[in-house]
Amino acid sequence: MQIFKEKDALKKHIKALKNEKKSIGFVPTMGALHEGHLSLIKQAISACDKVVVSIFVNPTQFDNPSDLEKYPRTLDQDVAKINEVDRDVLIFSPPASEIYGDQIISEEFSFDGLEHQMEGRFRKGHFNGVGTIVKKLFEMVEPDKAFFGEKDYQQLQIIKKLVEKQNLKVEIVGCPIHREINGLARSSRNERLSPEARQKASFIYSILQQVKEDFGTKSATEINTWVSQEFESYPGLELEYFEIANADTLTSIRDIENNIKYRAFIAAYSGEIRLIDNIALN
Ligand code: PAF
Protein backbone atom coordinates (compact mmCIF):
# COMPACT_ATOMS: atom_id res chain seq x y z
CA MET A 1 0.00 0.00 0.00
CA GLN A 2 1.45 3.34 -1.06
CA ILE A 3 0.17 6.63 0.30
CA PHE A 4 1.06 9.81 -1.55
CA LYS A 5 0.79 13.25 0.03
CA GLU A 6 2.50 15.15 -2.78
CA LYS A 7 1.05 15.50 -6.26
CA ASP A 8 4.45 15.45 -7.99
CA ALA A 9 5.37 12.09 -6.47
CA LEU A 10 1.97 10.70 -7.45
CA LYS A 11 2.25 12.03 -11.01
CA LYS A 12 5.72 10.52 -11.39
CA HIS A 13 4.45 7.14 -10.21
CA ILE A 14 1.46 7.28 -12.57
CA LYS A 15 3.66 8.27 -15.49
CA ALA A 16 5.75 5.13 -14.93
CA LEU A 17 2.57 3.00 -14.84
CA LYS A 18 1.34 4.58 -18.06
CA ASN A 19 4.70 3.85 -19.71
CA GLU A 20 4.04 0.20 -18.83
CA LYS A 21 0.63 0.60 -20.59
CA LYS A 22 -1.30 0.05 -17.35
CA SER A 23 -4.85 1.42 -17.28
CA ILE A 24 -5.66 3.69 -14.34
CA GLY A 25 -8.94 3.60 -12.43
CA PHE A 26 -9.76 6.46 -10.07
CA VAL A 27 -12.13 6.72 -7.11
CA PRO A 28 -12.22 10.24 -5.66
CA THR A 29 -13.51 10.39 -2.07
CA MET A 30 -13.60 12.69 0.93
CA GLY A 31 -12.73 9.79 3.23
CA ALA A 32 -14.86 8.38 6.08
CA LEU A 33 -15.12 5.37 3.80
CA HIS A 34 -18.11 3.03 4.00
CA GLU A 35 -19.33 -0.01 2.04
CA GLY A 36 -20.53 2.26 -0.77
CA HIS A 37 -17.00 3.59 -1.35
CA LEU A 38 -15.54 0.10 -1.07
CA SER A 39 -17.92 -1.14 -3.76
CA LEU A 40 -16.69 1.68 -6.07
CA ILE A 41 -13.10 0.63 -5.35
CA LYS A 42 -13.93 -3.02 -6.09
CA GLN A 43 -15.58 -2.02 -9.35
CA ALA A 44 -12.51 0.05 -10.31
CA ILE A 45 -10.20 -2.88 -9.47
CA SER A 46 -12.17 -5.21 -11.71
CA ALA A 47 -12.07 -2.74 -14.62
CA CYS A 48 -8.51 -1.30 -14.46
CA ASP A 49 -4.89 -2.43 -13.95
CA LYS A 50 -4.16 0.04 -11.16
CA VAL A 51 -6.51 1.97 -8.89
CA VAL A 52 -5.96 5.34 -7.22
CA VAL A 53 -8.23 6.43 -4.35
CA SER A 54 -8.05 10.07 -3.30
CA ILE A 55 -8.99 11.04 0.24
CA PHE A 56 -9.43 14.78 0.50
CA VAL A 57 -12.10 16.80 2.29
CA ASN A 58 -12.53 19.51 -0.32
CA PRO A 59 -13.17 22.88 1.36
CA THR A 60 -14.53 24.66 -1.74
CA GLN A 61 -17.60 22.44 -2.06
CA PHE A 62 -18.97 23.19 1.43
CA ASP A 63 -21.46 26.05 1.59
CA ASN A 64 -21.75 25.60 5.35
CA PRO A 65 -18.55 26.08 7.44
CA SER A 66 -19.86 23.96 10.32
CA ASP A 67 -20.55 21.05 7.92
CA LEU A 68 -16.92 21.29 6.70
CA GLU A 69 -15.60 21.41 10.25
CA LYS A 70 -17.71 18.44 11.39
CA TYR A 71 -17.05 16.31 8.31
CA PRO A 72 -15.50 13.06 9.67
CA ARG A 73 -11.73 12.70 9.08
CA THR A 74 -10.68 9.09 9.63
CA LEU A 75 -7.58 8.53 7.50
CA ASP A 76 -6.14 5.59 9.50
CA GLN A 77 -9.41 3.65 9.42
CA ASP A 78 -9.86 4.50 5.73
CA VAL A 79 -6.42 3.14 4.86
CA ALA A 80 -7.16 -0.05 6.86
CA LYS A 81 -10.46 -0.53 4.99
CA ILE A 82 -8.81 -0.10 1.59
CA ASN A 83 -6.06 -2.50 2.66
CA GLU A 84 -8.67 -5.14 3.41
CA VAL A 85 -10.01 -4.81 -0.13
CA ASP A 86 -6.63 -4.73 -1.88
CA ARG A 87 -3.13 -3.83 -0.76
CA ASP A 88 -2.16 -2.66 -4.26
CA VAL A 89 -4.40 0.42 -4.31
CA LEU A 90 -2.58 3.77 -4.39
CA ILE A 91 -3.89 6.35 -1.95
CA PHE A 92 -3.61 10.08 -2.57
CA SER A 93 -4.23 12.06 0.60
CA PRO A 94 -2.84 15.56 0.07
CA PRO A 95 -3.02 18.61 2.34
CA ALA A 96 -5.12 21.50 0.95
CA SER A 97 -1.97 23.48 0.02
CA GLU A 98 -0.90 20.71 -2.37
CA ILE A 99 -4.19 21.08 -4.26
CA TYR A 100 -4.94 24.78 -3.95
CA GLY A 101 -1.61 26.47 -3.16
CA ASP A 102 -2.40 29.44 -0.90
CA GLN A 103 -5.71 30.34 -2.61
CA ILE A 104 -8.58 28.08 -1.64
CA ILE A 105 -11.07 29.22 -4.28
CA SER A 106 -13.32 27.62 -6.90
CA GLU A 107 -13.25 27.98 -10.63
CA GLU A 108 -16.59 29.15 -12.08
CA PHE A 109 -18.25 26.62 -14.39
CA SER A 110 -21.34 26.43 -16.54
CA PHE A 111 -22.84 22.95 -16.59
CA ASP A 112 -25.60 23.96 -19.02
CA GLY A 113 -28.13 24.49 -16.25
CA LEU A 114 -27.64 21.17 -14.42
CA GLU A 115 -26.04 23.15 -11.58
CA HIS A 116 -29.17 25.26 -10.98
CA GLN A 117 -31.46 22.33 -10.17
CA MET A 118 -32.08 20.73 -6.75
CA GLU A 119 -28.78 20.72 -4.78
CA GLY A 120 -27.71 23.83 -6.70
CA ARG A 121 -30.68 25.76 -5.31
CA PHE A 122 -29.88 24.86 -1.71
CA ARG A 123 -26.05 24.67 -1.71
CA LYS A 124 -24.68 27.83 -3.28
CA GLY A 125 -21.34 27.32 -5.02
CA HIS A 126 -21.31 23.60 -4.23
CA PHE A 127 -20.97 22.40 -7.83
CA ASN A 128 -18.27 24.96 -8.68
CA GLY A 129 -16.33 23.45 -5.76
CA VAL A 130 -16.96 19.88 -6.95
CA GLY A 131 -16.02 20.79 -10.54
CA THR A 132 -12.85 22.52 -9.34
CA ILE A 133 -11.56 19.61 -7.27
CA VAL A 134 -12.55 16.89 -9.72
CA LYS A 135 -10.88 18.73 -12.61
CA LYS A 136 -7.71 19.25 -10.56
CA LEU A 137 -7.66 15.59 -9.46
CA PHE A 138 -8.22 14.38 -13.03
CA GLU A 139 -5.25 16.49 -14.13
CA MET A 140 -3.08 14.92 -11.43
CA VAL A 141 -4.22 11.29 -11.75
CA GLU A 142 -4.96 11.20 -15.51
CA PRO A 143 -7.32 8.23 -15.07
CA ASP A 144 -8.73 6.15 -17.92
CA LYS A 145 -11.91 5.56 -15.91
CA ALA A 146 -13.32 7.33 -12.84
CA PHE A 147 -16.04 5.86 -10.61
CA PHE A 148 -18.82 7.82 -8.90
CA GLY A 149 -21.86 6.65 -6.93
CA GLU A 150 -25.41 7.33 -8.09
CA LYS A 151 -26.38 8.50 -4.61
CA ASP A 152 -25.00 11.88 -5.69
CA TYR A 153 -26.80 11.55 -9.01
CA GLN A 154 -26.74 15.28 -9.79
CA GLN A 155 -22.99 15.34 -9.10
CA LEU A 156 -22.55 12.36 -11.45
CA GLN A 157 -24.41 14.17 -14.26
CA ILE A 158 -22.39 17.34 -13.63
CA ILE A 159 -19.09 15.46 -13.78
CA LYS A 160 -20.14 13.88 -17.09
CA LYS A 161 -20.89 17.40 -18.34
CA LEU A 162 -17.52 18.66 -17.03
CA VAL A 163 -15.74 15.92 -18.99
CA GLU A 164 -17.75 16.68 -22.13
CA LYS A 165 -17.27 20.45 -21.98
CA GLN A 166 -13.60 20.38 -21.03
CA ASN A 167 -12.79 17.59 -23.45
CA LEU A 168 -11.22 15.44 -20.74
CA LYS A 169 -10.03 11.98 -21.72
CA VAL A 170 -11.65 9.95 -18.98
CA GLU A 171 -14.64 7.62 -18.95
CA ILE A 172 -17.08 8.33 -16.13
CA VAL A 173 -18.64 5.19 -14.64
CA GLY A 174 -21.80 5.60 -12.53
CA CYS A 175 -22.26 2.93 -9.85
CA PRO A 176 -25.50 1.85 -8.09
CA ILE A 177 -26.43 3.22 -4.67
CA HIS A 178 -25.26 1.07 -1.76
CA ARG A 179 -27.81 0.83 1.05
CA GLU A 180 -27.82 -0.10 4.73
CA ILE A 181 -30.00 -3.08 5.69
CA ASN A 182 -32.90 -0.75 6.49
CA GLY A 183 -32.64 0.88 3.03
CA LEU A 184 -30.90 4.12 4.07
CA ALA A 185 -28.45 5.15 1.32
CA ARG A 186 -24.89 4.77 2.58
CA SER A 187 -23.23 8.09 3.33
CA SER A 188 -20.34 9.27 5.49
CA ARG A 189 -22.89 11.53 7.19
CA ASN A 190 -24.83 8.48 8.52
CA GLU A 191 -22.06 8.04 11.11
CA ARG A 192 -23.22 11.28 12.72
CA LEU A 193 -26.78 9.97 13.24
CA SER A 194 -27.82 8.39 16.54
CA PRO A 195 -28.93 4.73 16.18
CA GLU A 196 -32.55 5.87 16.54
CA ALA A 197 -32.19 8.66 13.95
CA ARG A 198 -30.44 6.23 11.60
CA GLN A 199 -33.36 3.84 11.82
CA LYS A 200 -35.90 6.66 11.32
CA ALA A 201 -33.99 7.95 8.27
CA SER A 202 -34.85 4.73 6.41
CA PHE A 203 -38.22 6.48 5.86
CA ILE A 204 -36.60 8.37 2.96
CA TYR A 205 -36.08 5.19 0.94
CA SER A 206 -39.50 3.79 1.81
CA ILE A 207 -41.06 6.98 0.38
CA LEU A 208 -38.95 6.70 -2.78
CA GLN A 209 -40.04 3.08 -3.24
CA GLN A 210 -43.72 4.06 -2.92
CA VAL A 211 -43.18 6.92 -5.41
CA LYS A 212 -41.73 4.40 -7.87
CA GLU A 213 -44.77 2.19 -7.41
CA ASP A 214 -47.21 5.11 -7.95
CA PHE A 215 -45.34 6.58 -10.90
CA GLY A 216 -47.39 6.08 -14.05
CA THR A 217 -50.71 5.64 -12.24
CA LYS A 218 -50.70 8.98 -10.34
CA SER A 219 -49.81 12.43 -11.65
CA ALA A 220 -46.59 14.15 -10.60
CA THR A 221 -48.67 16.76 -8.72
CA GLU A 222 -50.51 14.05 -6.75
CA ILE A 223 -47.22 12.36 -5.89
CA ASN A 224 -45.65 15.68 -4.82
CA THR A 225 -48.58 16.40 -2.51
CA TRP A 226 -48.51 12.90 -1.05
CA VAL A 227 -44.76 13.09 -0.30
CA SER A 228 -45.09 16.49 1.42
CA GLN A 229 -47.96 15.19 3.59
CA GLU A 230 -46.05 12.03 4.53
CA PHE A 231 -43.04 14.06 5.69
CA GLU A 232 -45.21 16.54 7.58
CA SER A 233 -46.71 13.73 9.65
CA TYR A 234 -43.37 11.97 10.22
CA PRO A 235 -41.44 13.26 13.24
CA GLY A 236 -37.64 13.38 13.06
CA LEU A 237 -37.11 14.27 9.41
CA GLU A 238 -37.60 17.62 7.73
CA LEU A 239 -38.09 17.57 3.96
CA GLU A 240 -35.98 20.13 2.11
CA TYR A 241 -37.10 19.15 -1.37
CA PHE A 242 -38.77 16.38 -3.31
CA GLU A 243 -38.53 16.42 -7.10
CA ILE A 244 -39.43 14.15 -9.96
CA ALA A 245 -37.00 15.16 -12.68
CA ASN A 246 -35.85 14.24 -16.16
CA ALA A 247 -32.86 11.94 -15.48
CA ASP A 248 -30.72 13.65 -18.15
CA THR A 249 -31.54 17.35 -17.85
CA LEU A 250 -32.59 17.18 -14.16
CA THR A 251 -35.45 19.59 -14.87
CA SER A 252 -38.46 19.10 -12.68
CA ILE A 253 -41.60 17.65 -14.30
CA ARG A 254 -45.31 18.17 -13.99
CA ASP A 255 -46.50 15.92 -16.85
CA ILE A 256 -45.02 12.51 -17.59
CA GLU A 257 -43.92 12.09 -21.23
CA ASN A 258 -43.16 8.87 -23.10
CA ASN A 259 -39.55 7.90 -23.91
CA ILE A 260 -38.03 10.01 -21.15
CA LYS A 261 -36.19 8.58 -18.17
CA TYR A 262 -37.28 9.99 -14.82
CA ARG A 263 -35.83 9.90 -11.31
CA ALA A 264 -37.21 10.99 -7.97
CA PHE A 265 -34.93 12.95 -5.60
CA ILE A 266 -35.19 13.76 -1.90
CA ALA A 267 -33.13 15.96 0.42
CA ALA A 268 -34.13 15.93 4.10
CA TYR A 269 -32.67 16.92 7.45
CA SER A 270 -32.37 14.64 10.44
CA GLY A 271 -31.57 17.31 13.06
CA GLU A 272 -28.66 19.20 11.52
CA ILE A 273 -27.59 16.31 9.29
CA ARG A 274 -28.55 16.62 5.66
CA LEU A 275 -29.36 13.39 3.79
CA ILE A 276 -30.02 12.89 0.08
CA ASP A 277 -31.29 9.94 -1.93
CA ASN A 278 -32.85 9.18 -5.30
CA ILE A 279 -34.42 6.38 -7.31
CA ALA A 280 -34.90 5.56 -11.01
CA LEU A 281 -38.63 5.57 -11.81
CA ASN A 282 -38.75 3.97 -15.26
O1 PAF B 1 -18.66 12.68 -3.73
C1 PAF B 1 -17.70 13.09 -3.06
O2 PAF B 1 -17.28 12.48 -2.07
C2 PAF B 1 -17.05 14.41 -3.45
O3 PAF B 1 -17.99 15.32 -3.92
C3 PAF B 1 -15.89 14.24 -4.45
C4 PAF B 1 -16.40 13.72 -5.78
C5 PAF B 1 -14.86 13.30 -3.88
C6 PAF B 1 -15.24 15.60 -4.70
O4 PAF B 1 -14.70 16.13 -3.52
Side-chain angles (χ1 to χ4, degrees):
M1 164 84 43
Q2 269 179 290
I3 305 180
F4 294 87
K5 299 266 176 211
E6 290 166 9
K7 58 176 184 278
D8 287 345
L10 176 75
K11 279 161 111 174
K12 198 169 157 207
H13 193 89
I14 287 175
K15 196 168 175 215
L17 290 167
K18 286 192 172 258
N19 284 341
E20 291 170 30
K21 303 268 179 274
K22 300 256 195 266
S23 61
I24 309 292
F26 181 39
V27 183
T29 81
M30 298 207 296
L33 301 186
H34 49 69
E35 284 299 323
H37 294 114
L38 300 183
S39 76
L40 297 182
I41 296 171
K42 285 175 195 162
Q43 210 159 318
I45 290 170
S46 66
C48 303
D49 297 323
K50 197 76 183 178
V51 171
V52 180
V53 176
S54 64
I55 298 178
F56 177 65
V57 181
N58 173 38
T60 60
Q61 71 188 75
F62 286 81
D63 54 325
N64 175 346
S66 126
D67 201 19
L68 170 60
E69 191 194 317
K70 290 188 181 146
Y71 203 87
R73 288 156 174 89
T74 55
L75 184 62
D76 290 348
Q77 287 108 295
D78 292 343
V79 171
K81 284 179 189 169
I82 297 172
N83 247 325
E84 269 177 40
V85 173
D86 189 329
R87 300 189 72 85
D88 256 6
V89 170
L90 304 178
I91 297 178
F92 182 41
S93 162
S97 56
E98 217 25 46
I99 300 282
Y100 286 103
D102 53 13
Q103 280 206 308
I104 301 189
I105 48 168
S106 292
E107 188 177 335
E108 300 268 322
F109 295 95
S110 159
F111 298 114
D112 293 351
L114 292 174
E115 71 276 30
H116 302 312
Q117 308 299 332
M118 299 179 287
E119 293 296 286
R121 286 205 303 279
F122 293 93
R123 304 184 70 190
K124 292 283 164 237
H126 171 66
F127 289 120
N128 278 330
V130 171
T132 301
I133 185 62
V134 170
K135 186 176 159 198
K136 282 176 183 288
L137 289 169
F138 282 174
E139 281 162 4
M140 292 170 196
V141 177
E142 289 188 59
D144 298 285
K145 295 180 189 220
F147 298 77
F148 294 86
E150 285 184 344
K151 184 184 77 76
D152 297 295
Y153 187 85
Q154 187 173 6
Q155 166 174 283
L156 173 63
Q157 293 303 102
I158 278 181
I159 288 164
K160 286 181 181 166
K161 184 62 77 179
L162 174 81
V163 167
E164 178 197 314
K165 291 190 86 167
Q166 308 262 333
N167 250 322
L168 307 176
K169 286 184 189 51
V170 50
E171 181 190 333
I172 302 302
V173 184
C175 305
I177 299 174
H178 219 271
R179 298 187 178 280
E180 301 192 353
I181 291 166
N182 67 14
L184 177 64
R186 293 217 184 254
S187 163
S188 306
R189 291 198 164 93
N190 296 356
E191 296 306 315
R192 291 172 56 202
L193 298 169
S194 69
E196 194 201 345
R198 201 158 171 159
Q199 189 49 42
K200 283 195 138 192
S202 64
F203 180 73
I204 297 171
Y205 185 51
S206 64
I207 290 286
L208 287 174
Q209 283 176 302
Q210 189 59 49
V211 167
K212 186 177 173 110
E213 220 172 293
D214 292 345
F215 186 77
T217 60
K218 291 189 179 154
S219 72
T221 311
E222 281 171 318
I223 295 176
N224 276 310
T225 307
W226 177 78
V227 172
S228 302
Q229 285 167 350
E230 288 298 298
F231 270 90
E232 267 160 34
S233 59
Y234 188 80
L237 280 178
E238 199 183 314
L239 182 65
E240 185 170 55
Y241 66 75
F242 168 73
E243 296 259 350
I244 296 178
N246 178 314
D248 295 317
T249 62
L250 303 183
T251 47
S252 171
I253 64 143
R254 293 266 154 240
D255 299 312
I256 299 159
E257 291 172 50
N258 289 334
N259 302 325
I260 292 193
K261 291 260 171 258
Y262 293 103
R263 278 184 106 90
F265 297 83
I266 285 181
Y269 278 92
S270 169
E272 60 173 13
I273 298 156
R274 191 169 183 279
L275 302 167
I276 59 171
D277 200 353
N278 68 86
I279 197 166
L281 297 178
N282 58 347

